[in-house]
Amino acid sequence: MQKLPQSVDFALKETSPNIGAGSVTGNKLSCTYDLVEQMQYLYVRVVKARDLPPKDVTGSCDPYVEVKLGNYKGVTKHFEKKSNPEWNQVFAFSKDRIQASVLEVFVKDKDVVLDDLIGWMMFDLNEVPKRVPPDSPLAPQWYRLEDRKGGKIKSGELMLAVWMGTQADEAFPDAWHSDAASVGPDGVNNIRSKVYLSPKLWYVRVNVIEAQDLVPSDKSRFPEVFVKGTLGNQALRTRTSQIKTINPMWDDDLIFVAPEPFEEPLILTVEDRLGPNKDEVLGKCVIPLQLVQRRLDHKPVNTRWFNLEKHVVLDGELKKETKFSSRIHVRICLDGGYHVLDESTHYSSDLRPTAKQLWRPSIGILELGVLSAVGLMPMKMKDGRGTTDAYCVAKYGQKWVRTRTIVDSFAPRWNEQYTWEVFDPCTVITVGVFDNGHLHGGGGGKDSRIGKVRIRLSTLETDRVYTHSYPLLVLHPAGVKKTGEVQLAVRFTCSSLVNMLHMYSHPLLPKMHYIQPLSVMQLDSLRHQAMQIVSMRLSRAEPPLRKEVVEYMLDVDLHKWSMRRSKANFFRIMGVLSGLIAVGKWFDQICNWKNPLTTILIHLLFIILVLYPELILPTVFLYLFVIGLWNFRWRPRHPPHMDTRLSHADAAHPDELDEEFDTFPTSRPSDIVRMRYDRLRSIAGRVQTVVGDLATQGERFQSLLSWRDPRATTLFVTFCLIAAIVLYVTPFQVVGLLIGIYVLRHPRFRHKLPSVPLNFFRRLPARSDSML
């Protein structure tokens, strides 16, 4: 067993960042952007130019603007032969890195050899105005361009605005940042912050009822007909009809996932099975989902008949046959009463039904401040040294957010704040940190995962700001590694305490999941399809949220076999049962008079409860109330985080981790696969033995009255008759008192041999004798 060195700190740390929330001074930024530290920027908005003088021999110019501040230089795109260009581009220079006192703006003419200067201007940074939202944006002004000697040129003006602001400025997300000056024009789109929305997902329920007037090619045999449904990449089929005629019936349900807006139609094909790998298409119909009825409850929608088109091959071309049409009878609807799961239900961030009409009002607001990260590991090599271009992604509900990428930094500072509406407190927000592999125009790489944090909202106190540094832990084939720490500020604000407390009485999922439940296999398959759809749609955005990022955030690989995770779940079960085991041990000590005073007190309590049984339930609930108050002193003061010990990641065997990271199907050599298979067989053998023992005990209970052992059943039936007569004539309190005193009797009156009832039970027959 490999153990990680103890010096690596996997603990959560409370931090005290300089944020506006809770501060007494309360600056102007504190009202809306108070979970992050202020970052000052110099903003330059280059709007347009007019009447630029010609510079080329052709009498025209190819203008662009260069904004220069010390060693940092930002450049707009250039226009071909245009004297009145419009750029409307914003440049942001971090105040922390400003090493100059003046801002220079050049308008140049693009040339093959050397770019010509059209005009320039200069701004003193001490005279630049400050602007903080919600102030209105600074209006840009026209400035007359000067030549190299400082004189005004005959014609040519540039419209721009210059101001000092913070990251709360509206221009911040789309601005060119001096921090990313080394990124080429092809990679600029990949570093910007962005808010994405997951597509609205629907369950498409297709109830295939029957078909009529099918025309199979071979009329000498009974057709074996089934229906195949296709929607995008999803394909499902019904069972083969038991009625082997040209009018088959099925009454089967096929369920698909469809994203809105609907791009793909639903295609139903009726096929006849001719052989093991040979099917004949008897007809096909294409149904656009825009025409499908939407259902909000469990009431069935109307059925419809659709004509089946048949295509035949004539002269090598596929043509539609229209002389006769078979028909198919189906009931199709878009089920809006379900929540389409694209995450695991254990840490889902949204549990609302698809149809907006069924949504309950929101109960509060979740605010997240992504402050910074420290101690990040180098994720790739550039110019012979390790580097990291980190960005964060946060997912809650349908809203995904992505911070800007901080280029070449192991301690990036983002200081970006985002807000979500909360509809259910028993949900989880996921924050992931990634390395951007698509800068410098490179499109072939992948965004590497640095780590992930989950925060359950129900574990947070309302209106409290949590500022913690979360360890970023990633499991590798070599073991668990800490790749850095991310500092977050979280606040959950409740708008209605009554509504939030009322949510705890509602079912977790929408009511359709309980009225017409889907099977576990269906939910697992539909969740996988929903994940694929979400990742495909978000990868088409600009900048794209790439497939590997979405799959890591949604835990695509959660269902795969892992020896480490199986051990962790077993010990979680043992941890749950440890309370019962502790109570059993304590009761055994009471029965054996280990502490005579405690045993005497338990005797007195037992006698009081037997004589006054109406006190039993109040005593139990009062005891639970006292335990709850006692535990309040040691309540958790911080959100939960990834626990390596609970996950058994710090003591996992290298071969177990290698198996966990293996592909499916396996890509390992046959001798390793054989060893793992034998190990799995040995574990399964133990599980099989335990399951068999449980079945044996259950069958012994059944055999008490089954007369499988006539003597044992005779004894038990006789005992039941005597017990019934005794209990009829004896008050229940007396019986309870006698049983309790017998159980709590002194060890002097006990035998080390098993009791008579236990001996009798163990002698009962079970069906294990009949097992092969």
Side-chain angles (χ1 to χ4, degrees):
M1 290 289 184
Q2 279 193 340
K3 293 260 184 182
L4 285 174
Q6 296 300 315
S7 59
V8 179
D9 186 15
F10 295 144
L12 190 71
K13 299 172 188 171
E14 193 160 3
T15 57
S16 302
N18 183 24
I19 60 176
S23 64
V24 181
T25 55
N27 51 45
K28 207 169 188 182
L29 188 74
S30 298
C31 55
T32 56
Y33 228 64
D34 59 345
L35 293 185
V36 291
E37 297 176 340
Q38 280 195 40
M39 298 178 73
Q40 298 288 335
Y41 286 90
L42 172 68
Y43 289 98
V44 182
R45 181 186 293 277
V46 179
V47 184
K48 57 185 175 180
R50 66 184 179 190
D51 303 330
L52 295 179
K55 283 288 181 183
D56 294 345
V57 182
T58 58
S60 63
C61 65
D62 307 327
Y64 70 92
V65 176
E66 182 181 290
V67 181
K68 190 176 181 184
L69 182 65
N71 295 327
Y72 294 104
K73 181 171 68 175
V75 180
T76 66
K77 61 182 178 182
H78 80 279
F79 288 96
E80 298 280 346
K81 299 179 180 178
K82 200 168 186 179
S83 57
N84 297 306
E86 282 195 29
W87 293 282
N88 199 23
Q89 193 169 341
V90 181
F91 299 87
F93 298 90
S94 175
K95 188 180 179 182
D96 296 342
R97 301 189 181 185
I98 292 178
Q99 297 174 342
S101 58
V102 293
L103 170 73
E104 299 171 294
V105 181
F106 301 92
V107 181
K108 294 186 177 181
D109 175 46
K110 189 79 172 174
D111 213 337
V112 179
V113 181
L114 185 65
D115 298 345
D116 298 324
L117 178 69
I118 298 175
W120 76 299
M121 65 187 68
M122 185 174 65
F123 294 88
D124 187 348
L125 296 189
N126 295 320
E127 297 177 6
V128 172
K130 288 188 177 181
R131 184 245 165 181
V132 178
D135 290 356
S136 299
L138 203 66
Q141 300 179 25
W142 287 105
Y143 292 91
R144 191 75 176 267
L145 295 173
E146 300 177 359
D147 57 17
R148 291 186 184 277
K149 298 176 182 178
K152 302 291 183 185
I153 62 176
K154 292 182 180 179
S155 65
E157 291 180 304
L158 181 65
M159 179 184 273
L160 53 79
V162 183
W163 73 95
M164 291 295 296
T166 65
Q167 75 270 35
D169 205 290
E170 294 91 344
F172 179 78
D174 296 323
W176 172 93
H177 288 272
S178 59
D179 300 344
S182 62
V183 179
D186 297 333
V188 168
N189 279 339
N190 287 318
I191 66 171
R192 288 188 172 141
S193 57
K194 188 80 173 180
V195 176
Y196 306 85
L197 285 177
S198 291
K200 191 175 184 180
L201 300 176
W202 293 80
Y203 282 149
V204 183
R205 185 185 290 271
V206 184
N207 178 226
V208 183
I209 303 171
E210 59 179 331
Q212 283 186 355
D213 305 326
L214 299 178
V215 186
S217 59
D218 185 1
K219 296 182 174 58
S220 63
R221 56 181 285 278
F222 293 111
E224 297 181 9
V225 185
F226 63 91
V227 177
K228 186 167 82 172
T230 309
L231 182 62
N233 296 326
Q234 307 167 66
L236 298 172
R237 50 160 289 178
T238 66
R239 56 191 168 83
T240 303
S241 175
Q242 300 298 314
I243 302 172
K244 298 185 177 181
T245 65
I246 60 171
N247 299 315
M249 299 181 72
W250 296 277
D251 197 21
D252 278 1
D253 273 358
L254 307 178
I255 301 179
F256 303 89
V257 180
E260 206 173 7
F262 304 120
E263 297 176 353
E264 304 276 354
L266 173 67
I267 301 171
L268 296 178
T269 55
V270 181
E271 301 185 19
D272 181 13
R273 180 171 290 281
L274 301 177
N277 296 311
K278 190 177 180 185
D279 300 324
E280 179 196 4
V281 177
L282 303 180
K284 177 172 120 178
C285 69
V286 179
I287 305 166
L289 293 182
Q290 291 85 345
L291 308 178
V292 173
Q293 186 177 345
R294 302 187 177 195
R295 183 175 78 156
L296 303 182
D297 52 23
H298 61 282
K299 295 176 183 175
V301 299
N302 296 327
T303 61
R304 292 181 63 184
W305 287 94
F306 291 94
N307 290 334
L308 292 170
E309 300 169 355
K310 189 167 184 181
H311 294 77
V312 293
V313 179
L314 291 175
D315 302 328
E317 293 184 8
L318 197 65
K319 294 187 177 179
K320 191 189 296 183
E321 190 182 72
T322 55
K323 61 183 180 181
F324 180 78
S325 182
S326 308
R327 299 193 306 166
I328 186 170
H329 192 198
V330 293
R331 180 185 281 113
I332 307 177
C333 66
L334 293 167
D335 262 332
Y338 290 92
H339 169 67
V340 181
L341 291 162
D342 59 350
E343 308 164 284
S344 170
T345 49
H346 298 299
Y347 27 79
S348 185
S349 63
D350 189 13
L351 300 166
R352 293 170 293 169
T354 301
K356 200 168 184 179
Q357 301 94 308
L358 302 177
W359 290 4
R360 295 190 179 93
S362 67
I363 60 165
I365 297 292
L366 172 66
E367 296 165 279
L368 173 72
V370 184
L371 298 170
S372 61
V374 292
L376 296 185
M377 305 279 285
M379 302 302 292
K380 56 179 177 284
M381 297 299 292
K382 181 188 171 188
D383 300 331
R385 64 183 182 87
T387 181
T388 299
D389 307 316
Y391 67 92
C392 279
V393 175
K395 196 258 185 208
Y396 184 78
Q398 291 184 322
K399 181 178 172 183
W400 299 65
V401 299
R402 169 183 176 150
T403 67
R404 71 191 190 283
T405 300
I406 305 297
V407 179
D408 194 11
S409 174
F410 298 133
R413 294 174 64 226
W414 294 285
N415 285 306
E416 297 183 28
Q417 184 170 337
Y418 299 96
T419 306
W420 288 267
E421 270 191 302
V422 177
F423 293 87
D424 193 318
C426 302
T427 46
V428 176
I429 181 171
T430 306
V431 183
V433 185
F434 301 89
D435 173 62
N436 198 328
H438 295 81
L439 305 185
H440 317 292
K446 283 190 173 185
D447 290 357
S448 307
R449 55 182 73 167
I450 297 177
K452 181 167 58 179
V453 173
R454 292 194 203 100
I455 303 171
R456 184 171 290 274
L457 269 61
S458 58
T459 62
L460 304 178
E461 298 175 18
T462 53
D463 300 317
R464 175 184 164 187
V465 178
Y466 289 84
T467 53
H468 289 88
S469 185
Y470 294 83
L472 296 171
L473 307 174
V474 177
L475 198 63
H476 292 281
V480 67
K481 288 185 180 177
K482 181 178 176 181
T483 53
E485 295 180 8
V486 63
Q487 189 176 350
L488 304 175
V490 184
R491 177 171 56 205
F492 173 37
T493 308
C494 176
S495 56
S496 171
L497 182 62
V498 175
N499 284 349
M500 184 174 72
L501 296 178
H502 185 52
M503 283 299 298
Y504 281 87
S505 66
H506 287 290
L508 197 63
L509 292 168
K511 63 180 182 180
M512 280 295 289
H513 285 269
Y514 307 98
I515 296 172
Q516 287 189 357
L518 303 172
S519 69
V520 175
M521 293 289 288
Q522 277 181 314
L523 283 174
D524 195 45
S525 172
L526 291 169
R527 175 175 172 258
H528 180 72
Q529 296 296 340
M531 284 179 178
Q532 298 299 322
I533 290 169
V534 170
S535 65
M536 184 181 69
R537 284 288 178 97
L538 293 179
S539 66
R540 284 159 46 182
E542 189 61 44
L545 201 59
R546 308 201 176 264
K547 184 181 179 184
E548 60 269 18
V549 173
V550 177
E551 288 184 347
Y552 181 56
M553 296 288 286
L554 294 180
D555 284 298
V556 169
D557 299 331
L558 188 68
H559 65 284
K560 289 186 179 176
W561 160 257
S562 164
M563 179 72 76
R564 173 193 60 83
R565 203 178 288 128
S566 301
K567 283 182 181 177
N569 288 336
F570 172 77
F571 283 105
R572 283 173 62 200
I573 292 174
M574 294 306 296
V576 170
L577 297 177
S578 62
L580 295 175
I581 295 169
V583 170
K585 289 181 178 178
W586 171 80
F587 187 71
D588 185 61
Q589 290 177 353
I590 296 294
C591 294
N592 287 299
W593 292 68
K594 297 288 184 185
N595 188 335
L597 180 62
T598 306
T599 305
I600 291 169
L601 290 175
I602 292 296
H603 273 81
L604 292 174
L605 177 64
F606 172 72
I607 293 169
I608 292 170
L609 292 179
V610 168
L611 296 177
Y612 302 98
E614 64 272 11
L615 295 178
I616 294 175
L617 287 177
T619 304
V620 169
F621 286 114
L622 183 64
Y623 181 63
L624 295 176
F625 171 75
V626 171
I627 291 176
L629 284 185
W630 182 261
N631 289 340
F632 181 76
R633 297 169 57 193
W634 294 283
R635 68 190 184 278
R637 302 301 176 99
H638 53 75
H641 66 290
M642 301 294 184
D643 191 334
T644 55
R645 186 154 294 174
L646 178 71
S647 310
H648 271 247
D650 55 350
H653 193 275
D655 183 67
E656 293 174 4
L657 294 174
D658 184 67
E659 181 182 23
E660 188 170 339
F661 283 91
D662 192 6
T663 56
F664 189 86
T666 182
S667 57
R668 298 295 184 263
S670 59
D671 55 338
I672 294 179
V673 175
R674 187 181 294 111
M675 181 271 292
R676 289 174 181 169
Y677 176 61
D678 291 339
R679 181 178 64 194
L680 200 58
R681 285 176 66 192
S682 67
I683 295 170
R686 295 176 207 163
V687 174
Q688 174 183 285
T689 304
V690 172
V691 172
D693 289 343
L694 291 174
T696 298
Q697 307 308 325
E699 287 167 356
R700 283 174 176 164
F701 269 109
Q702 290 177 341
S703 66
L704 282 170
L705 296 170
S706 68
W707 297 92
R708 170 58 60 186
D709 182 343
R711 285 163 295 279
T713 305
T714 302
L715 286 171
F716 182 69
V717 169
T718 306
F719 168 77
C720 289
L721 178 63
I722 296 170
I725 295 170
V726 171
L727 292 174
Y728 266 120
V729 298
T730 311
F732 179 74
Q733 290 170 324
V734 174
V735 175
L737 200 61
L738 292 173
I739 292 174
I741 291 173
Y742 175 76
V743 169
L744 295 171
R745 67 193 185 279
H746 195 273
R748 186 177 295 174
F749 304 106
R750 293 178 185 274
H751 296 287
K752 291 186 178 180
L753 298 176
S755 62
V756 172
L758 191 59
N759 291 333
F760 177 77
F761 181 75
R762 285 177 176 170
R763 289 175 175 277
L764 292 170
R767 302 183 67 187
S768 53
D769 317 338
S770 307
M771 289 281 290
L772 284 173

